[in-house]
Amino acid sequence: MAATLWSGITPASSARGPGLVAQRQSASFFGSDEAATDVWAYGSVPGPVLKVKQGERLRIPVTNNLPQPTTVHWHGLRIRNAMDGVPFLTQAPIGPGETYTYDFHARDAGTFWYHPHVNSAEQVGRGLSGALVVEEAEPIPVDRDLVWLLDDWRLRKDGSIAPFGGMHDAAHAGRLGNVATINGLADETFPVRSGERIRLRLVNAANARIFGLAFGNLNPWRVAVDGHPVVPTPVGPDLVVVPPGGRTDLIVDMTGKPGEKTEIRDLYYQRFAYTLAIPSYADETPVRKDRLGPPRPLAANPHHQPDIANAERHEMVFEGGAMGGLREAKYKGQTLGLRELAGMGMVWAVNGRVIPPMEEGNVGDPMLTMKQGRTYVLTWRNESAFDHPIHLHGHSFSVIARNSKALETPMVMDTVLIRPKQSVAVAFVADNVGDWALHCHVLEHAAAGMMGYVRVE
Ligand code: C2O
Ligand code: CU
């Protein structure tokens, strides 16, 4: 596998320009000289980087020129429920030929992204995704500010996208592809200049692939996760793990010499390690001679502090899939064996219940009803044999414990990776009224029983 970088950031005007058009088109992952692939995209793969300043309003008409209904979800943005893009739960799907205008304020600064929430495994998997950057009032000074929208594709020999569906992906790790791309290109070359400081905004738009990046001796600083600032800390020898849906902002100081090359490797699936990017230093005088000091921390986003001592606590247990030991679960009021469930394409359960897909006029019951303003601590336990990145809409949460062990510095996120047989506890103030999707961001898992919603009233 291979991958590259090209894109910088589209100027702010694009956010309010002609809007987004979801359409069939073609894309070339390997450069123009090779066969193009039919994709679904917002004009390009990935879609344009939408960029606004914190507090600004976005008004984005979305036109659907796809052969099926769609919506757009603004992943990680805390906006009003009606703008959240979840079909049947927060809006009617946008039919083919129709336009729907999203309109909201970007209250939090950071790196976010957008993607459809209808038939997501196929629509995201065919190329519908893009980054949304909300600029801080005082960003960290850098020489270049780059988005790397990471994705993977399952391509057939003729370059076309392999068909979607099938129980195997759903019951295992989801649809892992065979070509990884950075901003839609499978070319590792990443031209850099010696001495430059880069802000690298990693967005994982893959259906299922978890990226675990090794930066070698570049030793970047992690400055934000899921858009929310963390105390700048060098990543050291650890992998920078970005699960589907997740984002990580790094400050990378390019400390090599002119003419040198280095490698950024993806080592998450050890047997399938590959080189994602090859930073290649230009033969030019360094931008600066000395290594810069630590970046200063970014200002926190405006969150309500959870009142953990008085929190209401709930547990959600995620079970099912292959090798998970789940024998039966409730589905539409009946208790069914895993085999019967698999026959209906449903293999994941939350608290013993397989959540049916939402339909017009029937979105099922909320998994939990919360009171506005109250703090909740949810313990999410993964009792299965696979990874699950769990995402909550409309809120950000603090991860306060892993495997029952309290974390010294809770981290604010919206998508948290829970490994097999592990648990996390998250705390947040239920401050955004509405019905908010809560699901696994392995899109094949979400479609097979791992997508429900919680209500704040
Ligand atoms: Cu990025 Cu409900 O999803
Ligand atoms: Cu999952």
Side-chain angles (χ1 to χ4, degrees):
M1 277 205 304
T4 223
L5 157 125
W6 53 267
S7 115
I9 289 177
T10 311
S13 58
S14 70
R16 278 146 290 155
L20 297 171
V21 180
Q23 61 193 25
R24 300 164 122 148
Q25 56 187 91
S26 69
S28 177
F29 307 125
F30 304 98
S32 48
D33 47 340
E34 285 183 64
T37 298
D38 289 329
V39 297
W40 294 356
Y42 298 113
S44 56
V45 173
V49 176
L50 304 180
K51 191 182 177 193
V52 290
K53 290 207 165 51
Q54 185 168 16
E56 274 184 351
R57 178 175 175 188
L58 286 99
R59 248 192 113 257
I60 307 177
V62 173
T63 299
N64 179 9
N65 286 344
L66 301 172
Q68 55 182 243
T70 193
T71 59
V72 176
H73 168 57
W74 311 93
H75 184 123
L77 290 172
R78 300 186 295 141
I79 55 182
R80 64 202 161 89
N81 200 226
M83 295 294 119
D84 197 46
V86 179
F88 312 120
L89 189 65
T90 71
Q91 71 170 97
I94 311 167
E98 293 175 2
T99 298
Y100 181 90
T101 299
Y102 292 91
D103 187 348
F104 52 85
H105 284 86
R107 135 159 66 152
D108 295 326
T111 304
F112 303 95
W113 68 298
Y114 57 92
H115 63 79
H117 224 283
V118 175
N119 186 19
S120 307
E122 178 173 12
Q123 293 196 7
V124 178
R126 287 195 186 278
L128 291 161
S129 57
L132 196 164
V133 170
V134 183
E135 263 197 321
E136 300 89 10
E138 290 181 69
I140 297 169
V142 291
D143 299 303
R144 284 198 287 165
D145 186 330
L146 302 176
V147 171
W148 275 13
L149 187 133
L150 307 174
D151 204 347
D152 76 340
W153 309 79
R154 190 180 289 177
L155 298 183
R156 296 191 289 199
K157 284 230 165 57
D158 64 2
S160 63
I161 296 176
F164 288 83
M167 271 329 282
H168 188 273
D169 288 340
H172 292 78
R175 180 183 170 99
L176 297 170
N178 50 14
V179 174
T181 55
I182 298 176
N183 299 332
L185 289 176
D187 167 359
E188 302 90 344
T189 318
F190 174 35
V192 297
R193 273 191 76 178
S194 178
E196 70 174 331
R197 169 167 274 190
I198 295 173
R199 178 168 180 170
L200 196 54
R201 301 169 183 267
L202 304 172
V203 179
N204 185 348
N207 283 31
R209 175 172 302 275
I210 296 159
F211 287 85
L213 304 184
F215 282 81
N217 55 16
L218 288 174
N219 195 17
W221 302 87
R222 187 187 274 109
V223 296
V225 173
D226 289 354
H228 301 292
V230 296
V231 177
T233 315
V235 303
D238 295 345
L239 298 183
V240 175
V241 174
V242 190
R247 289 88 62 215
T248 292
D249 286 34
L250 301 173
I251 296 293
V252 196
D253 291 312
M254 305 308 307
T255 48
K257 295 196 180 58
E260 278 183 4
K261 279 184 175 25
T262 176
E263 286 194 1
I264 299 171
R265 308 254 305 148
D266 180 2
L267 305 180
Y268 191 79
Y269 306 92
Q270 286 169 15
R271 285 171 47 223
F272 303 99
Y274 65 100
T275 299
L276 180 74
I278 303 179
S280 309
Y281 291 86
D283 253 324
E284 291 171 61
T285 37
V287 175
R288 57 180 64 77
K289 276 219 297 290
D290 300 318
R291 190 174 188 136
L292 291 165
R296 61 168 174 67
L298 293 164
N301 281 317
H303 285 108
H304 290 118
Q305 270 306 110
D307 172 11
I308 293 171
N310 296 305
E312 188 175 315
R313 290 167 186 268
H314 295 272
E315 188 172 65
M316 292 181 188
V317 181
F318 302 99
E319 299 176 279
M323 304 172 289
L326 180 71
R327 263 176 297 176
E328 53 179 38
K330 276 224 169 66
Y331 185 53
K332 297 186 174 169
Q334 280 182 286
T335 300
L336 300 173
L338 192 64
R339 191 168 272 210
E340 269 172 291
L341 288 166
M344 293 182 283
M346 307 303 285
V347 288
W348 298 97
V350 186
N351 290 347
R353 195 168 77 92
V354 174
I355 307 169
M358 295 176 194
E359 308 167 330
E360 186 173 354
N362 182 15
V363 295
D365 298 325
M367 302 160 84
L368 180 65
T369 298
M370 301 184 279
K371 286 263 161 292
Q372 186 186 11
R374 182 129 208 221
T375 295
Y376 289 80
V377 171
L378 307 183
T379 300
W380 290 334
R381 278 204 294 128
N382 176 358
E383 287 293 323
S384 81
F386 292 92
D387 288 326
H388 301 294
I390 301 297
H391 173 48
L392 172 63
H393 287 212
H395 295 78
S396 309
F397 46 75
S398 298
V399 176
I400 57 169
R402 281 193 183 266
N403 304 319
S404 312
K405 209 176 152 282
L407 298 188
E408 266 172 51
T409 26
M411 207 185 262
V412 182
M413 306 174 87
D414 57 60
T415 308
V416 63
L417 180 61
I418 314 173
R419 298 204 156 116
K421 307 294 173 199
Q422 306 229 317
S423 71
V424 302
V426 304
F428 60 96
V429 179
D431 54 8
N432 202 355
V433 169
D435 287 345
W436 300 105
L438 190 163
H439 62 92
C440 179
H441 222 288
V442 170
L443 301 176
E444 294 72 25
H445 292 177
M450 279 187 103
M451 183 168 98
Y453 72 98
V454 294
R455 174 168 292 166
V456 179
E457 59 179 27

